[in-house]
Amino acid sequence: GSRSRYIAGICFDAVEIHTKPCDFQTGLEYLVVLTAVKQKMRDPQTMHVCFEQRLQKALVSSAKEHRGDSEELKLDFCVIHSARFFIGAELRTPKVHTVEQLGKTRRLLEPFRKYQYAKGGGRRNNFWHYSPVHLQDAWGRFKKAVAEAWDLAGRDSSRVLQMMHSRHQAKTEYLDAKLQQWEQVHMAMQDKKKHQGRRVRERNRNGSAKLRWERRRM
């Protein structure tokens, strides 16, 4: 009968790593190697080293400890990017087969990771941190970076860009509402600052007048 095939995989720091298909026992051994890689990548003492160098060293040493040769695993890599603010979904890049390619893909998308943290309502929303013009520019740069990531993997980006455009359009009503809320709040803040400034000036004038009057009495 047909034999089942297994793929060992692990995820950390927005990166997914998978091995080649294998039997169950080998899959368990590969998983031990990948788990060791993940632990080494989270070692705070190595954080000053660039990502690609750390990962390559972790792969070689972990395989040596448990299997012998990292090339045997036939690894592929992809980046998982949270793009909920722009398209309401996660984006998974096409698979690449070298650490160098993975590093380039991460660097393409890294500038846009900050937009996934400032989310939700109130002051955690992106509109509290960035201007509408900035966010519109970031959306354009994000699409360009995605196209480059797909090109790096040798894949056509037209389909993913079309999907992103459709999802972004579907979020337009939500984004417009958030923008309107941002504008109202910031206008109120500006009005409050002007009002406070006027009161300070009035207090200063009143204080000066009182000081002059007291000096005359002396």
Side-chain angles (χ1 to χ4, degrees):
S2 60
R3 295 175 60 190
S4 298
R5 306 294 283 170
Y6 299 87
I7 295 176
I10 205 161
C11 180
F12 60 90
D13 196 21
V15 167
E16 268 190 2
I17 305 177
H18 294 103
T19 67
K20 65 181 180 181
C22 55
D23 61 71
F24 180 72
Q25 184 58 43
T26 303
L28 289 178
E29 294 173 8
Y30 286 171
L31 187 59
V32 170
V33 174
L34 293 183
T35 301
V37 170
K38 181 177 180 177
Q39 291 173 343
K40 290 177 181 180
M41 289 296 290
R42 291 188 165 175
D43 182 358
Q45 295 183 348
T46 65
M47 289 299 181
H48 64 283
V49 182
C50 80
F51 179 84
E52 292 99 302
Q53 289 179 353
R54 285 192 295 128
L55 181 55
Q56 189 63 56
K57 185 176 180 180
L59 286 169
V60 171
S61 62
S62 297
K64 200 171 185 179
E65 292 165 5
H66 300 284
R67 287 289 301 184
D69 185 4
S70 60
E71 294 294 324
E72 179 192 337
L73 279 67
K74 303 292 183 188
L75 299 174
D76 57 53
F77 313 88
C78 74
V79 174
I80 304 172
H81 183 82
S82 177
R84 288 190 176 90
F85 177 75
F86 291 121
I87 62 173
E90 283 187 343
L91 197 65
R92 182 179 265 95
T93 64
K95 294 176 182 177
V96 294
H97 304 289
T98 69
V99 172
E100 182 184 6
Q101 288 176 311
L102 173 65
K104 289 179 179 178
T105 304
R106 285 183 85 252
R107 284 193 294 275
L108 283 170
L109 298 177
E110 184 69 26
F112 307 97
R113 289 183 71 175
K114 60 185 178 183
Y115 301 110
Q116 66 181 307
Y117 301 124
K119 60 188 177 182
R123 293 179 181 271
R124 295 184 63 205
N125 190 272
N126 272 311
F127 285 114
W128 278 92
H129 299 266
Y130 310 103
S131 72
V133 173
H134 174 97
L135 292 172
Q136 187 60 35
D137 177 68
W139 167 237
R141 289 185 288 110
F142 179 55
K143 288 188 291 184
K144 183 179 179 182
V146 168
E148 291 181 20
W150 258 245
D151 184 60
L152 181 66
R155 300 284 296 275
D156 179 26
S157 63
S158 57
R159 182 174 294 181
V160 69
L161 290 176
Q162 185 178 9
M163 177 275 291
M164 288 170 59
H165 176 75
S166 298
R167 284 184 170 272
H168 187 71
Q169 287 296 107
K171 286 201 69 179
T172 298
E173 186 176 337
Y174 166 80
L175 293 174
D176 286 347
K178 287 296 179 184
L179 173 57
Q180 187 176 14
Q181 184 183 35
W182 179 88
E183 290 174 338
Q184 290 172 349
V185 171
H186 280 259
M187 285 175 64
M189 289 171 63
Q190 291 299 322
D191 290 342
K192 185 176 180 181
K193 286 180 181 178
K194 289 179 182 178
H195 184 64
Q196 288 176 338
R198 187 163 57 246
R199 286 194 300 179
V200 169
R201 288 194 298 272
E202 288 174 355
R203 279 202 304 268
N204 290 340
R205 281 200 300 269
N206 293 336
S208 299
K210 184 178 180 181
L211 182 62
R212 286 196 299 272
W213 181 76
E214 288 178 349
R215 282 177 176 170
R216 289 196 196 102
R217 291 188 60 188
M218 294 171 66

